[in-house]
Amino acid sequence: MTSLTVTDIELTSLPKLAHGKVRDLFTVDDATLLFVTTDRISAYDIIMANGVPFKGAILTYLTAHWFSVLSKAIPDLKTHFLGLTPPPSVRLTAGEQAVVRHRTMLVRKLKIFPVEAIVRGYLTGSGYKEYVAKGTVHGIKLPAGLKNCDKIPGGAIYTPSTKAELGAHDENISPEQAAKIVGEKYAKRIEELALKCYNAAAEYARERGIIIADTKFEFGLDESTDEVVLVDEVLTPDSSRFWPADKYEAGREQESFDKQFLRDWLTRSGLKGKEGVEMPDDVVQATAERYREAFKLLTGKGLDEVLGEN
Ligand code: ATP
Ligand code: MG
């Protein structure tokens, strides 16, 4: 088992296609990518100078777990997932193997729709702010009198945003605006799949003590079959708000299993929005703890056990 924290990855034998805030994508061939999740962590869209040990592994194995859960719950769901290891044709040095181990998914390379498919089951964050100001969430009218973190009456809603380039901020948009960006036909399918995935996942997580307040999916197009495919990471503490169900109470902010601890520390110390921030040890450890706990509740296995199996 490796204890190294990986924030930068270069592979001598594979060209890097893209460098996201957290992931590095390498081209295996025209149709396949090596999708490597580093231990980098971002908050308020800015990457911290240091990483969180095992975060890449947690996100990788949790995403793989969800792909399996969701594929069972939603029989017509297609995902980009091909496997957890690079194909034998990919030659990696021993050092590179150590770095990509536990952090890698082999995925189908797809054309990504430029919208973030956000689904909200609870009223919080930027959704709550808009509701307080205008009574709407992404332009969708909600009943009056809802409190911070209330469950959205009538079920989860689809609240897309634009997908900004690296360094820019996503913008909340209405489902109608999303349809203008991706086209009516694909927009409908994305919305349908996003809601199905959220509802299946929310039920699964609730039985395991976690409320998924909201989450963000991304979808791609398989141009050979014209199918909308679930891509990227799914239902991780990076892409979702996870709340401990036993401590949930509407009308106030919730404790969470995600980056809230880091965000609160940044705000408290006046470092919110600053580049190159080095997290102190206690913030790194507390964040790692929360990610690990969410992983264990959702997969039923400790991270060390899963690392040992792979
Ligand atoms: P975020 O979207 O989480 O705010 P980011 O866009 O900077 O951050 P990362 O999550 O670090 O990105 O990297 C993942 C990138 O890979 C995203 O741009 C995502 O759209 C893209 N991606 C995910 N799955 C695929 C796929 N199957 N084919 C091509 N690109 C993909
Ligand atoms: Mg991303």
Side-chain angles (χ1 to χ4, degrees), residues 265-284:
W265 172 75
L266 286 169
T267 307
R268 254 195 339 266
S269 24
L271 294 168
K272 178 179 169 180
K274 296 231 161 66
E275 298 281 347
V277 172
E278 179 105 17
M279 300 174 286
D281 242 16
D282 59 321
V283 173
V284 171

Side-chain angles (χ1 to χ4, degrees), residues 72-287:
K72 278 181 205 133
I74 309 162
D76 63 337
L77 178 72
K78 298 283 189 307
T79 82
H80 71 159
F81 184 72
L82 297 171
L84 282 167
T85 45
S89 61
V90 172
R91 300 253 171 263
L92 299 175
T93 66
E96 291 171 351
Q97 276 174 31
V99 159
V100 303
R101 184 154 180 237
H102 303 307
R103 296 182 177 84
T104 300
M105 289 194 308
L106 195 67
V107 303
R108 292 197 278 155
K109 179 181 178 180
L110 297 162
K111 198 172 130 196
I112 306 302
F113 290 107
V115 294
E116 313 254 358
I118 300 167
V119 179
R120 299 172 193 264
Y122 290 75
L123 190 58
T124 183
S126 68
Y128 180 62
K129 272 198 197 126
E130 183 185 322
Y131 174 78
V132 168
K134 302 190 208 160
T136 58
V137 175
H138 294 233
I140 300 162
K141 185 120 192 82
L142 291 184
L146 297 177
K147 296 191 292 290
N148 190 13
C149 298
D150 254 334
K151 191 168 188 178
I152 294 175
I157 54 173
Y158 174 63
T159 57
S161 78
T162 58
K163 187 168 151 53
E165 297 292 321
L166 196 64
H169 296 285
D170 300 333
E171 217 185 292
N172 288 354
I173 53 176
S174 65
E176 292 74 30
Q177 284 167 298
K180 284 203 184 105
I181 297 172
V182 302
E184 200 72 52
K185 177 176 86 171
Y186 296 127
K188 268 185 120 168
R189 182 67 176 151
I190 291 170
E191 173 169 353
E192 179 199 347
L193 284 174
L195 284 168
K196 275 190 185 172
C197 289
Y198 172 84
N199 287 326
E203 188 187 335
Y204 178 93
R206 189 64 191 76
E207 288 161 3
R208 289 158 180 81
I210 289 184
I211 291 173
I212 304 178
D214 51 30
T215 195
K216 179 203 87 176
F217 299 108
E218 290 193 38
F219 291 91
L221 179 66
D222 182 338
E223 290 175 292
S224 64
T225 58
D226 202 33
E227 278 175 310
V228 173
V229 179
L230 180 62
V231 303
D232 210 55
E233 64 173 335
V234 290
L235 296 152
T236 70
D238 273 18
S239 65
S240 324
R241 281 191 179 89
F242 289 161
W243 296 337
D246 58 350
K247 297 189 182 136
Y248 169 73
E249 191 193 341
R252 57 159 171 80
E253 297 297 331
Q254 310 302 309
E255 243 179 65
S256 70
F257 289 109
D258 54 38
K259 298 186 238 184
Q260 202 55 48
F261 190 87
L262 169 59
R263 294 193 198 105
D264 291 347
W265 172 75
L266 286 169
T267 307
R268 254 195 339 266
S269 24
L271 294 168
K272 178 179 169 180
K274 296 231 161 66
E275 298 281 347
V277 172
E278 179 105 17
M279 300 174 286
D281 242 16
D282 59 321
V283 173
V284 171
Q285 290 317 322
T287 304

Side-chain angles (χ1 to χ4, degrees), residues 17 25-28 31-35 105-109:
L17 174 74
L25 275 56
F26 298 88
T27 301
V28 174
T32 322
L33 298 177
L34 204 62
F35 186 85
M105 289 194 308
L106 195 67
V107 303
R108 292 197 278 155
K109 179 181 178 180

